[in-house]
Amino acid sequence: MSKLFVKKQLSVLTAEAGESDKGLKRTLGAGSLIALGIGAIIGAGLFVRTAAAAGQHAGPAVTISFIIAAIGCALAGLCYAEFASMIPIAGSAYTYSYATLGEFIAWIIGWDLVLEYALAGATVAIGWSQYLNKLLTNVFHVTIPYEWSHSPFEVSDAGVHGIMNVPSLFILLALTLLLIRGTQGSAIVNNIIVITKVSIVLMFIVLGWHFINPANHAEFTIPATAGTVKMHNGQIVDYSNFWNHGWGGVLRGAGVVFFAFIGFDAVSTAAQETKNPKKNMPIGILVSLAICTILYILFSFVLTGIAPFQDFLKAGGEASVAYVIDTYMTGYGWLSTFITVAILAGFSSVILVMLLGQTRVFYSMSNDGLVPPIFARLHPKYHTPYRSQWMFFVFVSLFAAFVPDNVVGDMTSIGTLFAFVLVCIGVIVMRKNNPDAPRAFKTPLVPLVPALGAAFCLTMIISLGMENWARLFVWLGIGFLIYFGYSVKHSKARKMMDQK
């Protein structure tokens, strides 16, 4: 049993962090990390999941859902910042868990993070596809056929079944090629995209504020008597369900929009490519989270004030922001086209960071012997895990092409929340087991802050429903087969333990 929970020593992790000449290049500063965080955070969560949470669960009170989710993320973010300053190497929560909770828990987290980043990338790629179709229709009067821009599980109002989401494959391929070329070049592209999409979000907030209809905010939460509504994909939403109205709906909405915040933890996966990570990692994590929280609250307040919440289900669909502008903001048709272009760029930066994050987690797991060496092999010229990048391109593409966005989006949220819970617990364990270890940043009020972070995240996990729990258990079951079939035989930490 002791081998199951063998820990990777902090001294070993620190030594690995110093071997930058042998592995990933350190090219990122604090500004790039903040942009990386914003690039990952502002995307499908804001432009797609906000409308879904408001329409199905929270109504205008989705703003409160964002506040609840932000509190949970802020508490977890403080824990991430402490770990990122102590253990500045690739791997994020996986690496932190290896040092605090042992190998088996670390494997669960690493496997869970792969699910998080892969499905987040797939979700955003699906949203990218829908907004591309919106742009082509409005500007060029060309529409990608429904069957080639939707999954086989989706059916149009005209009864057309989807076959494959081809545009999502295109954007995944383009960004995979960019990442293989190198992190610094990817960061420059991301910085340009971030400036563009933050400007557009601010423009929508300022211009849309004048179109807010107070009647849409009269009932801030959805009443239990709101009846039912048929979504654009044919699904029926019953508002009498506890999780679809009132405060139950607000809590479920928090679990849904939580997807919008997952980018900040992706920052920590780039620790081994960061200059002065002990200082810059906490800045990148916490500043990007704070900026995006403010923008989210203002954006959701304006969006739900312009249009009734039912519209996001009946007509808006994945392109709800563009729909709201076209329908309710008379005279601002140009803004609809402009914001669609910016959203496409914004989605691209989110996918970029998600594809970066998952390969860096497996890079660390491969170096530890828990997955095959192929995931740690670097390109001879660009020093990027190019083979891993190609393998994950195939993996993510399968979800993006053949699974609806609402399924992969909720699976991403539950996987992320699970990782956050263990990171919060890990801070408490590390403070007890290694109280004197150098910490460039300290989580305040330990154990209160980590305990509250774990509690907030667990509450949101419960709200996501048993169907998502079932999917998570299936994924973890596959992971256990790999761990006990391969990892236990190749674990470097186990071999070091046997040598002692």
Side-chain angles (χ1 to χ4, degrees), residues 222-461:
I222 298 176
T225 56
T228 62
V229 62
K230 184 178 181 180
M231 295 176 61
H232 62 284
N233 60 6
Q235 180 182 342
I236 302 297
V237 174
D238 182 3
Y239 289 118
S240 65
N241 183 295
F242 174 78
W243 298 111
N244 293 344
H245 72 269
W247 287 102
V250 171
L251 186 58
R252 178 66 183 268
V256 173
V257 300
F258 179 84
F259 175 87
F261 288 98
I262 68 170
F264 85 82
D265 72 306
V267 173
S268 64
T269 67
Q272 207 162 341
E273 293 157 278
T274 300
K275 295 178 289 187
N276 192 8
K278 292 184 177 181
K279 174 185 175 183
N280 291 333
M281 288 304 300
I283 293 174
I285 291 171
L286 297 176
V287 173
S288 61
L289 180 59
I291 291 172
C292 293
T293 297
I294 295 170
L295 291 176
Y296 279 4
I297 293 171
L298 293 173
F299 184 92
S300 60
F301 182 82
V302 172
L303 185 68
T304 56
I306 297 175
F309 65 87
Q310 297 95 331
D311 275 25
F312 301 133
L313 302 185
K314 292 186 292 186
E318 297 94 337
S320 290
V321 179
Y323 164 80
V324 166
I325 295 171
D326 291 337
T327 306
Y328 295 99
M329 295 177 64
T330 305
Y332 285 90
W334 59 270
L335 179 59
S336 175
T337 300
F338 192 31
I339 204 169
T340 300
V341 173
I343 288 171
L344 285 171
F347 280 14
S348 300
S349 68
V350 177
I351 300 169
L352 187 76
V353 180
M354 294 300 104
L355 293 177
L356 169 73
Q358 64 182 353
T359 53
R360 271 46 177 186
V361 171
F362 253 45
Y363 174 82
S364 290
M365 295 177 75
S366 181
N367 281 332
D368 293 331
L370 301 187
V371 294
I374 188 174
F375 291 101
R377 290 177 184 167
L378 301 181
H379 194 283
K381 179 179 180 181
Y382 303 120
H383 289 267
T384 56
Y386 67 111
R387 293 185 179 180
S388 178
Q389 209 80 63
W390 280 121
M391 294 175 71
F392 276 112
F393 161 70
V394 175
F395 180 63
V396 176
S397 295
L398 291 174
F399 284 99
F402 300 110
V403 182
D405 70 303
N406 64 307
V407 173
V408 290
D410 285 347
M411 286 179 69
T412 302
S413 293
I414 197 169
T416 309
L417 285 163
F418 187 51
F420 283 11
V421 169
L422 291 183
V423 169
C424 290
I425 295 172
V427 166
I428 299 174
V429 174
M430 183 64 87
R431 285 289 186 94
K432 180 180 179 181
N433 294 343
N434 298 86
D436 300 323
R439 291 171 170 83
F441 177 89
K442 286 188 175 183
T443 303
L445 301 175
V446 175
L448 178 62
V449 167
L452 287 175
F456 263 87
C457 294
L458 281 172
T459 302
M460 285 187 279
I461 286 176

Side-chain angles (χ1 to χ4, degrees), residues 172-230:
L172 287 170
L173 175 61
L175 294 176
T176 295
L177 291 171
L178 178 62
L179 281 169
I180 289 173
R181 292 277 298 180
T183 306
Q184 186 174 24
S186 303
I188 293 172
V189 173
N190 180 67
N191 292 346
I192 296 171
I193 292 174
V194 166
I195 293 172
T196 301
K197 67 179 177 181
V198 169
S199 300
I200 293 301
V201 170
L202 291 172
M203 187 182 298
F204 176 79
I205 291 170
V206 172
L207 297 178
W209 198 277
H210 303 288
F211 289 89
I212 292 177
N213 182 354
N216 292 329
H217 284 159
E219 287 190 285
F220 210 56
T221 61
I222 298 176
T225 56
T228 62
V229 62
K230 184 178 181 180

